[in-house]
């Protein structure tokens, strides 16, 4: 009994510290979570369920109510990463950042303590919400979601197997994010592999851009010109998406949301993408000009050239929109974890977030 009171007291202390620093808000609510158009239930592993069930019994005290409510709203005004920061050496710490980036409070948290219970539950909340947001990012990157057969239909050259292998790994890392984050050694190994995937994406992008330039320099001397151009475009888009997803996965796995690091990552990724799209626009423009000259009224391959020109025109028109959409996705994805976050805890231990 004394130990239970001590844990409850520790929980109250750390929550009070976080609340006073403006890093946490908890209050009871009555909402209908069965409305799937408003709320999404976040998937929890068995260990995460245990973490939340341990915290849930102390929620009434945290929220300042006598009896258990049907549900609670838990808000992190500055985002979870700016509230909870893991420390090395077997312990953890709750660090609360102010708007200037400086730490306002610091409480060491170790196993079996009340603070560790709060940290464990909120860290789990960060992980499961990270899985949810990665799923949203993945859905917006349609090229890397294609099945193997579709991808093999347009990939070519000695980069085919290499690129496909990295794509499958990135999908694996995204799909198993929540589970891998619970195992430190596997998480570290996965980060290393994600960094390798990012380097492969950059290398393969250079390969396909060079192949596009060579195709232009050879004056598109090949059969099935439209098909070749389409395959080049699809391969380039796939490689760009692999690069984007690798960077975002690395950020979430490393949990490194240091403002300067995030700012530099955004610059590096957007500069790379802009260079790629500028190169594509220039080369596709050259190709269009060449084919337009070749298709003359008596050209032997007039029909093939017309088809290729139409395809290139559509590609050029879509490049700017694709670039802008990726720039927006990258910016939102990099800064989303440090924005105000709101979660809903039901009395039976489930966690919900509002549909985006």
């Amino acid at each position: 009994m004394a130990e239970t009171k001590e844990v409850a007291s520790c929980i109250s202390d750390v929550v009070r510290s976080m609340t006073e620093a403006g890093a946490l808000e908890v209050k009871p609510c009555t909402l209908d979570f069965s409305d799937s158009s408003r709320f999404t239930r976040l998937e929890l592993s068995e260990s995460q369920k245990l973490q939340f069930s341990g915290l849930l019994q102390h929620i009434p005290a945290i929220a300042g109510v006598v009896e258990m409510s049907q549900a609670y709203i838990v808000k992190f005004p500055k985002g979870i990463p700016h509230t909870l920061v893991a420390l090395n050496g077997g312990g953890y710490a709750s660090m609360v950042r102010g708007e200037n980036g400086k730490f306002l409070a610091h409480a060491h948290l170790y196993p079996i303590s009340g603070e560790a219970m709060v940290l464990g539950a909120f860290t789990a909340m960060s992980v499961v919400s990270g899985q949810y947001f990665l799923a949203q990012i993945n859905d917006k990157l349609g090229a890397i979601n294609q099945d193997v057969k579709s991808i093999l239909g347009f990939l070519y050259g000695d980069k085919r197997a290499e690129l496909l292998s990295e794509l499958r790994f990135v999908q694996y890392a995204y799909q198993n994010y929540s589970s891998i984050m619970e195992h430190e050694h596997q998480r570290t190994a996965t980060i290393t592999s994600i960094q390798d995937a990012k380097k492969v994406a950059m290398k393969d992008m250079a390969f396909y851009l060079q192949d596009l330039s060579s195709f232009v320099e050879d004056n598109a001397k090949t059969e099935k010109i439209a098909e070749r151009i389409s395959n080049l475009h699809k391969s380039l888009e796939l490689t760009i998406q692999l690069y984007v997803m690798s960077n975002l996965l690395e950020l979430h796995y490393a949990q490194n949301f240091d403002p300067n690091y995030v700012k530099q990552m955004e610059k590096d990724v957007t500069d790379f993408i802009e260079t790629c799209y500028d190169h594509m626009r220039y080369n596709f423009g050259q190709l269009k000009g060449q084919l337009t000259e070749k298709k003359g009224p008596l050209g032997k391959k007039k029909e093939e050239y017309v088809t290729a020109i139409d395809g290139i025109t559509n590609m050029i028109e879509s490049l700017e929109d694709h670039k802008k959409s990726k720039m927006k996705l990258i910016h939102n994805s990099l800064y989303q974890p440090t924005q105000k976050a709101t979660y809903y805890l039901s009395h039976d231990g489930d966690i919900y977030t509002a549909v985006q």
Side-chain angles (χ1 to χ4, degrees):
M1 180 65 72
E3 183 178 346
T4 301
K5 289 182 178 179
E6 182 179 351
V7 170
S9 177
C10 288
I11 290 175
S12 297
D13 288 342
V14 71
V15 170
R16 186 181 304 109
S17 174
M18 296 166 70
T19 301
E20 290 175 352
L24 175 68
E25 297 175 20
V26 181
K27 62 181 181 180
C29 68
T30 302
L31 295 168
D32 179 14
F33 296 118
S34 64
D35 186 352
S36 59
S37 66
R38 296 183 58 201
F39 302 103
T40 295
R41 183 170 65 85
L42 301 179
E43 295 296 328
L44 299 174
S45 66
E46 290 303 317
S47 62
Q48 290 165 343
K49 288 179 181 178
L50 287 174
Q51 288 175 312
F52 280 108
S53 64
L55 175 67
L56 195 60
Q57 61 182 307
H58 300 287
I59 284 288
I62 294 175
V65 296
V66 178
E67 298 181 353
M68 177 69 74
S69 176
Q70 285 295 105
Y72 297 89
I73 297 177
V74 180
K75 294 182 180 180
F76 297 88
K78 298 180 178 65
I80 297 181
H82 277 186
T83 302
L84 305 176
V85 178
L87 291 180
N88 294 322
Y92 298 87
S94 169
M95 294 184 176
V96 182
R97 291 180 185 268
E99 293 183 359
N100 59 1
K102 295 182 178 180
F103 292 114
L104 302 178
H106 182 187
H108 285 282
L109 314 178
Y110 291 91
I112 76 171
S113 71
E115 294 99 319
M117 183 182 294
V118 174
L119 178 73
F122 289 167
T123 299
M125 191 179 296
S126 176
V127 171
V128 296
S129 62
Q131 181 79 74
Y132 172 69
F133 288 117
L134 283 172
Q136 292 186 311
I137 294 168
N138 186 72
D139 288 343
K140 294 175 182 177
L141 297 175
I144 63 174
N145 288 316
Q146 300 174 82
D147 57 42
V148 174
K149 184 177 180 180
S150 297
I151 293 174
L152 289 176
F154 62 82
L155 279 183
Y156 64 92
D158 60 355
K159 302 300 180 183
R160 186 183 190 187
E162 177 184 64
L163 189 55
L164 184 61
S165 174
E166 297 301 338
L167 282 166
R168 294 309 99 192
F169 171 76
V170 162
Q171 284 297 302
Y172 155 83
Y174 140 66
Q175 292 165 355
N176 295 283
Y177 173 77
S178 186
S179 177
I180 294 174
M181 285 294 286
E182 295 185 24
H183 302 85
E184 187 61 31
H185 293 299
Q186 190 177 14
R187 172 189 171 192
T188 301
T190 301
I191 291 174
T192 300
S193 296
I194 290 171
Q195 292 171 334
D196 289 339
K198 181 168 62 174
K199 288 186 285 188
V200 166
M202 296 177 74
K203 182 177 66 173
D204 288 357
M205 174 57 69
F207 168 81
Y208 284 117
L209 286 176
Q210 180 56 49
D211 202 35
L212 176 59
S213 295
S214 297
F215 188 58
V216 174
E217 291 171 3
D218 290 342
N219 292 309
K221 294 177 181 178
T222 183
E223 297 297 323
K224 300 181 180 179
I225 297 175
E227 180 181 333
R228 177 67 186 280
I229 295 170
S230 176
N231 288 344
L232 265 169
H233 180 244
K234 290 177 181 178
S235 298
L236 287 163
E237 182 63 27
L238 188 71
T239 309
I240 289 175
Q241 291 193 16
L242 172 62
Y243 177 72
V244 170
M245 192 62 172
S246 298
N247 275 278
L248 297 179
L249 276 171
E250 181 185 4
L251 185 78
H252 279 271
Y253 267 100
Q255 291 288 289
N256 182 358
F257 299 102
D258 175 76
N260 291 329
Y261 175 76
V262 173
K263 183 178 180 180
Q264 185 61 48
M265 175 176 279
E266 181 177 26
K267 183 180 185 305
D268 291 343
V269 176
T270 54
D271 284 352
F272 179 79
I273 289 175
E274 187 157 19
T275 299
C276 292
Y277 277 109
D278 286 348
H279 193 138
M280 291 163 65
R281 186 183 299 103
Y282 175 75
N283 282 154
F284 282 135
Q286 282 188 306
L287 269 176
K288 182 178 179 180
Q290 290 177 3
L291 296 176
T292 299
E293 291 180 2
K294 287 184 176 183
K295 80 173 181 67
L298 300 177
K300 294 181 180 180
K301 295 184 178 180
K302 180 179 179 181
E303 184 176 345
E304 182 178 351
Y305 289 147
V306 170
T307 301
I309 291 170
D310 289 343
I312 293 175
T313 300
N314 291 333
M315 291 174 195
I316 293 174
E317 291 176 350
S318 68
L319 288 177
E320 187 63 24
D321 287 340
H322 287 173
K323 184 181 78 172
K324 287 181 178 179
S325 67
K326 286 184 180 60
M327 298 294 193
K328 182 178 179 181
L329 174 65
I330 290 163
H331 179 82
N332 292 342
S333 300
L334 289 176
Y335 292 97
Q336 177 277 324
T338 55
Q339 301 303 306
K340 180 178 180 179
T342 301
Y343 302 96
Y344 305 89
L345 276 61
S346 67
H347 69 283
D348 53 5
D350 286 330
I351 303 175
Y352 295 84
T353 186
V355 173
Q356 301 295 308

